[in-house]
Structure formats: C-alpha cells, structure tokens
Amino acid sequence: MESTSARPAGSTRREATRQKLYEAAVTLIAEQGFSATTVDEIAERAGVAKGTVYYNFASKSVLFEELLRHGVGLLTASLREAAERTAREGGNGVDGLDAMVRAGLVFIDRYPAFTQLYVAELWRTNRAWQSTLMVVRQQAVAVVEEVLREGVAAGEFSDEIDVPLTAAALVGMVLVAALDWKAFQPERSLDDVHSALSRLLQGRVSGG
C-alpha cells in the first residue's frame, strides 16, 4: 500500500519498511485472521527481523490500527483527488460523485485484501482500535458529504436529502459491490462495474 508523498531520505527508508509490514500484515490477516497471525509471521513475510516490527510498532494491535489509518487515508486521498479534479474540469456534483465511485473501485481493485479487512472490522465492536476505525471511516465519508453539500447549495441536489446517510450509503455501495465483484464476478472489468454503479447513481436504472 504505497504512499506517494515526498519525504526526506531517512523518513523514506522507514516508510518503506512500514510499507512492507503493512503489506505483510494485511495479507496474513486476510488469509488467517488477526488472532491467528503472529508478529513472527509478519516479520518473516515482510523479510525483516522481528525486532524491526517492534521498532516501528509497539504491538501487533498497534500495527493493525496504523494499517487501518494508512489504508483508509489512501482511499480518502483518492476520493478527494477525484472530486477536486472533476471540479477543476467543470464537472457538476453528479460528475464528482461518479468520479469518486470510480476512484473507490480503482482503490479496491488495487487493495482487495485491505478492503475485505476494513469491511469485516466495521462489524466488530470489541476491538481495541474501534474508535480509530470510526474516525478514519468518517474521514472517507466526509469527502462524499462535502460534494453532496456543495451540490445542494448549487441546486443540483434536493435539499431534502439526508447528507450524512446518503454519503455513507454511496461509500457502502462501492465497498459491497466491489467485494461482490472480486469474490463472485471476477470476470467483469472495472469499467463494467463502474458503468453499472454509474447508472444507479444517475438514476438510469428504470425503463422510462
């Protein structure tokens, strides 16, 4: 799960190590679950010493919590960039939402294991990182809320819509549809899935 931010050399090296640990952790936990995954296995999969894991993260739980922050941060940045690019190009609110739908699908196509873990954790309430999960979830949803509010203010969307719930529903639509795509309809292309969700978003599913 790569970050594209420019950093000093020392920071870049440490970030590269953390990236390896993120990749190893998300793969192993997706394969066998959080409880069954050990720090030794994460270190071995990442190709580093066990001490390196503890140098970067105080515990396996902290590693997973930071993994959630990192992954959802990348998703949030992708959604925001898609919305901002569409606005610069003169697109309207629906265009912005559609661009974010595609950005979400691209993210999930690239990081399916992380997405699977993220969705699974949303249903659990007894984790130490539950509060962190709620914070990062809201960061992603807030990007969609912003586009909806701007659309309402511009008269593009009805002022009767429930912005928070609608934003959460749109994010949920992309997550669930993409996971279904990956698990049960892998023969479909990203363009095909995006086209289907785009029709739903734009209200073009009726025969009228």
Side-chain angles (χ1 to χ4, degrees), residues 78-108:
S78 296
L79 297 178
R80 180 175 291 109
E81 195 281 329
E84 291 177 349
R85 183 181 64 251
T86 302
R88 288 195 303 270
E89 294 172 352
N92 60 24
V94 173
D95 295 329
L97 293 175
D98 189 54
M100 286 192 287
V101 166
R102 184 174 185 86
L105 291 173
V106 169
F107 177 89
I108 295 166

Side-chain angles (χ1 to χ4, degrees), residues 29-130:
I29 294 171
E31 290 174 354
Q32 57 195 33
F34 177 81
S35 297
T37 300
T38 67
V39 172
D40 291 284
E41 289 173 320
I42 293 171
E44 182 180 358
R45 180 67 67 93
V48 302
K50 182 177 180 179
T52 301
V53 180
Y54 289 115
Y55 175 76
N56 285 275
F57 305 100
S59 66
K60 184 178 69 171
S61 292
V62 171
L63 167 56
F64 190 66
E65 185 173 354
E66 289 303 312
L67 171 62
L68 290 172
R69 289 184 184 275
H70 179 72
V72 179
L74 291 179
L75 172 59
T76 301
S78 296
L79 297 178
R80 180 175 291 109
E81 195 281 329
E84 291 177 349
R85 183 181 64 251
T86 302
R88 288 195 303 270
E89 294 172 352
N92 60 24
V94 173
D95 295 329
L97 293 175
D98 189 54
M100 286 192 287
V101 166
R102 184 174 185 86
L105 291 173
V106 169
F107 177 89
I108 295 166
D109 187 41
R110 186 174 184 183
Y111 305 119
F114 172 79
T115 307
Q116 178 184 348
L117 285 179
Y118 171 72
V119 172
E121 290 303 315
L122 287 175
W123 290 96
R124 297 190 172 101
T125 58
N126 60 343
R127 300 295 206 189
W129 50 78
Q130 187 67 23

Side-chain angles (χ1 to χ4, degrees), residues 3-8 11-12:
S3 175
T4 57
S5 300
R7 302 176 187 272
S11 177
T12 299

Side-chain angles (χ1 to χ4, degrees), residues 190-203:
L190 190 150
D191 287 340
D192 189 22
V193 177
H194 174 229
S195 178
L197 295 187
S198 182
R199 283 181 174 275
L200 183 61
L201 173 67
Q202 299 180 46

